[in-house]
Amino acid sequence: MAQMTPVSTVIVDDHPAVRAGVAQWLSAGTPPIRVAASGNDVSVAWSGEGATADVVILDLHLGGPVPATGELRRLTEAGRRVVVYSMRADDATALQCLELGALSYLTKAEGADHLLEATVTAADGRAYTPPSLAGALAGDRSASRPVLSARETEVLIEWFQSESKVFVGRRLGISPHTVNSHLEHIRIKYAMSGRQAATKAALLARAIQDGLVRLDDL
């Protein structure tokens, strides 16, 4: 459901010029996006107005060579909606961030339009796929693919195209409980194959990697 109030964000980036540039892009968007807080480390996302912002825009390198994947995990496990905005353009890093629960991964080579779209989409709890991420997903062809039943595949694709499990159940003539059971079985199969998919975004990444669904189908 579309948000009735302006989307708010907290920007976490150790470069002041980047924070200022992103804030300007967001405030000039249509509709404008409010920057509730910004700072050079992730503490700004846990305190003050940053703690309740709809979306966290997170740089992956905060003053050091080690990616902030631990911080990303803590944010997503707390239910925060995160868009990673990073200098790194390698596919492995992008896919790792999706696995950790980020709703989108953008490189800083991608412009304002993609960042605005990713932020608005994340505020609605949905994943956004910019061009660089599409390349990463299309290029990953893991050999450890679980075997899904025809019904599981059907439920999975319907879920990607729907807003809720209730709607999926109506489309397929089954109860929301049964939809949830199929999705849990799919997650277990992925976990048993060594490819965790704890969030909807991560499960979508797996499905695209395995050729179960194409970006054009969404």
Side-chain angles (χ1 to χ4, degrees):
M1 179 181 295
Q3 296 231 341
M4 301 303 292
T5 57
V7 171
S8 62
T9 66
V10 51
I11 304 168
V12 184
D13 196 298
D14 62 335
H15 289 91
V18 174
R19 294 200 301 271
V22 168
Q24 197 280 328
W25 281 353
L26 297 176
S27 63
T30 306
I33 296 172
R34 186 172 74 88
V35 178
S38 65
N40 61 2
D41 65 59
V42 79
S43 65
V44 73
W46 295 108
S47 61
E49 287 194 81
T52 56
D54 297 317
V55 179
V56 180
I57 297 176
L58 176 68
D59 183 16
L60 208 53
H61 288 277
L62 300 171
V66 179
T69 51
E71 303 289 3
L72 171 59
R73 182 191 298 276
R74 281 186 281 277
L75 287 166
T76 59
E77 287 182 348
R80 303 298 297 272
R81 295 164 176 174
V82 181
V83 171
V84 175
Y85 191 50
S86 173
M87 289 292 293
R88 297 189 61 156
D90 60 287
D91 293 353
T93 299
L95 293 168
Q96 181 187 19
C97 288
L98 291 187
E99 292 173 18
L100 292 174
L103 287 172
S104 187
Y105 185 98
L106 285 86
T107 71
K108 289 181 177 175
E110 287 166 313
D113 289 346
H114 289 297
L115 184 58
L116 286 164
E117 188 67 27
T119 303
V120 171
T121 305
D124 204 28
R126 295 178 292 115
Y128 174 74
T129 306
S132 61
L133 187 55
L137 294 172
D140 188 357
R141 291 291 183 266
S142 173
S144 55
R145 299 174 182 175
V147 177
L148 305 185
S149 69
R151 191 57 154 172
E152 288 171 341
T153 302
E154 188 177 32
V155 168
L156 191 62
I157 293 172
E158 287 287 347
W159 191 47
F160 293 145
Q161 297 174 334
S162 303
E163 294 293 330
S164 71
K165 295 170 186 173
V166 172
F167 187 79
V168 175
R170 289 174 182 164
R171 290 282 299 269
L172 299 179
I174 57 180
S175 71
H177 176 75
T178 302
V179 172
N180 194 59
S181 295
H182 282 304
L183 293 173
E184 287 304 311
H185 290 161
I186 293 168
R187 286 197 169 95
I188 290 170
K189 287 182 177 181
Y190 269 107
M192 291 179 67
S193 68
R195 302 167 66 204
Q196 298 284 347
T199 66
K200 187 173 185 178
L203 200 52
L204 175 58
R206 296 304 189 207
I208 293 175
Q209 291 163 8
D210 292 349
L212 297 174
V213 63
R214 301 174 304 170
L215 292 175
D216 292 343
D217 297 328
L218 304 178

